[in-house]
Amino acid sequence: MAKTQYYTATSIDGYIADENNSLEWLFDVDGGNENPFGGFFAGVGAFAMGATTYEWVLENDNVLAEPQNWHDLYGDVPCWVFANRELPLVPDANVFMVSGDVKRVHEAMLVAAKGKNVWLVGGGDLVGQFVDQGLLDEIILGIAPVVLGGGSPLLPRHLTARHLALTGTAQIGRFAYLTYAVGSEPVPGRHPAATEHRHAVLH
């Protein structure tokens, strides 16, 4: 079945951009010879991003002056940009500007995806709105060996171990990739290490 996925890179301390909305820290990390994004995006039929993320793409990839850069990245896969302000459209790109209820837009994205996955690019607050509606199925994190100390949070929502099940781990270059299924399955008995960690923290 098609999934709605949050695939993103993050620092160890859970930030997807620094306090200046920059990703320069990310580009300094060796990602190895594999390209996990290519395989991931091949399964994507529609995607969405927030205004800040879209503006970063506009500036970083110079897609307004060179729209081919957008097509090289995303092809003709339809993209929904959630924005409460007017933003320029990438020429000849399959981009829709929207605002308001994410559930309504999600329904349109599923139709457009034609059985493929829906990718939530970010930011974290936008993804949080999908979480609030129970629309997120999977989180895929590429954790970089970087500690930022502040910035844009990965996902500003409270999800406990009962909402997240670890389904995959991998090391690619210097990144640790973790995949979590999002839901409400009960968690089995507490692992002894959890009790030991709690005692260590309290003492």
Side-chain angles (χ1 to χ4, degrees):
M1 288 183 60
K3 299 176 182 177
T4 297
Q5 302 166 299
Y6 181 27
Y7 176 103
T8 189
T10 178
S11 66
I12 289 175
D13 53 345
Y15 296 101
I16 58 176
D18 68 17
E19 293 176 328
N20 298 313
N21 282 323
S22 172
L23 296 179
E24 290 303 316
W25 56 275
L26 180 61
F27 301 135
D28 291 335
V29 183
D30 180 10
N33 296 323
E34 297 182 50
N35 178 19
F37 177 76
F40 166 80
F41 194 70
V44 171
F47 64 109
M49 64 180 69
T52 300
T53 301
Y54 180 70
E55 287 178 314
W56 185 90
V57 173
L58 294 183
E59 179 178 351
N60 184 74
D61 296 313
N62 196 33
V63 293
L64 293 180
E66 301 177 72
Q68 186 58 42
N69 292 344
W70 176 279
H71 295 284
D72 290 344
L73 287 168
Y74 308 120
D76 292 323
V77 178
C79 173
W80 279 257
V81 177
F82 285 81
N84 293 316
R85 56 186 181 274
E86 189 170 334
L87 295 172
L89 288 171
V90 179
D92 300 319
N94 203 0
V95 175
F96 306 95
M97 292 292 168
V98 293
S99 61
D101 183 21
V102 298
K103 187 174 183 179
R104 172 182 55 83
V105 177
H106 184 255
E107 292 171 354
M109 293 175 69
L110 288 174
V111 172
K114 298 178 180 178
K116 299 180 80 172
N117 296 326
V118 170
W119 173 33
L120 306 180
V121 184
D125 185 64
L126 174 63
V127 178
Q129 294 177 50
F130 282 83
V131 171
D132 295 341
Q133 298 278 2
L135 300 175
L136 182 64
D137 301 311
E138 190 170 67
I139 299 173
I140 305 172
L141 304 177
I143 303 174
V146 177
V147 177
L148 294 176
S152 301
L154 169 68
L155 183 54
R157 292 298 188 275
H158 184 195
L159 294 175
T160 70
R162 293 187 177 276
H163 300 104
L164 300 170
L166 182 66
T167 59
T169 63
Q171 179 180 347
I172 302 177
R174 298 186 65 198
F175 286 83
Y177 279 82
L178 303 179
T179 302
Y180 293 93
V182 181
S184 57
E185 291 298 319
V187 174
R190 180 177 295 168
H191 192 282
T195 302
E196 293 170 5
H197 176 70
R198 178 175 178 272
H199 286 161
V201 170
L202 293 177
H203 295 90

